[in-house]
Amino acid sequence: MKIVRKPSTALLPTPVVLLSVAGHGKDRPNIITLAWVGTVCSDPPMLSVAIRPTRHSHRLVDAAREFVVNVPRAGQLTEVDLAGVWSGAEHDKFQELGFTAVPADSVDAPLIEECPVNIECVVRHQLALGAHDLYIAEIVAVQYDEDVLDARGRAQTAKIAPLAYAEGEYWTLGERIGTYGGAAKASGRR
Ligand SMILES: Cc1cc2nc3c(=O)[nH]c(=O)nc-3n(C[C@H](O)[C@H](O)[C@H](O)COP(=O)(O)O)c2cc1C
């Protein structure tokens, strides 16, 4: 039996990332934890992030129009949670979380050296949805820690060990249980 509930953000899981953005005026570079994040286009590669207009980071992203989406390791959960509770208006999150701000390749935002994947983005669209503004951004460069790439240069999910977010809880990914198109290939059906 199904139970109908009122509309809510029921989709799960979502990624958990650390967005880093350049400072503006007297505001230092900042980090914000985000879970309303997704891949939205393959070519050009694009992702979306949703940020409440009330966030300190919203003002910084609006000013810079560029940011880095840093994929943290599950082992960085404490930093991820704190960056999602503290505000850059009061905290120097790079310094207080022990993160190193490194110049990015193609944007002015600093990337977080300690995160294994750093996705450099330029904002292409912005949409006011209600509680959140949606930013759709083009990925202009991606940096990986050498140790998460295999011999052919492919990112290894198990080595990145990313976090997932569901129903207010943080999760790790379980085991790999298949590959894209693997079932169709095995069945011989298309
Ligand atoms: C797991 C998690 C996910 C979050 N996801 C979002 C999000 O997608 N969008 C958003 O606006 N705030 C999100 N937040 C809240 C912000 O990270 C939080 O309000 C932060 O302190 C804002 O930082 P700032 O004031 O430096 O911008 C999330 C927080 C946590 C802990």
Side-chain angles (χ1 to χ4, degrees):
M1 193 177 95
K2 297 282 189 186
I3 297 169
V4 181
R5 303 277 296 272
K6 67 178 169 54
S8 67
T9 53
L11 180 66
L12 62 89
T14 63
V16 189
V17 301
L18 294 170
L19 178 150
S20 51
V21 60
H24 180 65
K26 60 176 178 31
D27 292 318
R28 47 191 169 236
N30 195 37
I31 300 170
I32 178 174
T33 301
L34 298 176
W36 290 178
V37 176
T39 297
V40 293
C41 187
S42 306
D43 185 15
M46 298 181 99
L47 58 71
S48 69
V49 299
I51 307 177
R52 285 183 183 262
T54 49
R55 308 277 188 239
H56 179 70
S57 300
H58 185 281
R59 199 156 51 80
L60 297 180
V61 169
D62 270 0
R65 315 305 295 170
E66 296 182 341
F67 52 79
V68 180
V69 168
N70 304 271
V71 180
R73 299 178 190 273
Q76 292 168 319
L77 178 59
T78 302
E79 292 86 341
V80 166
D81 198 49
L82 288 172
V85 176
W86 290 347
S87 177
E90 289 108 36
H91 293 266
D92 181 342
K93 294 194 224 180
F94 271 101
Q95 201 248 316
E96 293 179 46
L97 296 171
F99 283 142
T100 313
V102 171
D105 179 78
S106 304
V107 297
D108 278 336
L111 60 79
I112 302 174
E113 184 172 33
E114 289 77 8
C115 290
V117 185
N118 316 96
I119 306 167
E120 302 182 22
C121 301
V122 175
V123 173
R124 297 291 184 222
H125 307 280
Q126 183 172 350
L127 206 51
L129 300 178
H132 291 74
D133 275 8
L134 183 74
Y135 295 91
I136 298 175
E138 184 173 346
I139 297 164
V140 294
V142 185
Q143 303 202 29
Y144 293 96
D145 279 5
E146 216 176 354
D147 67 349
V148 303
L149 298 178
D150 68 13
R152 289 163 61 188
R154 291 176 308 194
Q156 300 179 85
T157 307
K159 290 219 167 144
I160 297 167
L163 281 163
Y165 185 72
E167 299 292 322
E169 298 170 340
Y170 300 105
W171 291 73
T172 54
L173 299 189
E175 299 297 307
R176 179 182 62 185
I177 57 167
T179 55
Y180 181 103
K185 200 170 165 190
S187 72
R189 286 182 287 153
R190 291 245 156 205

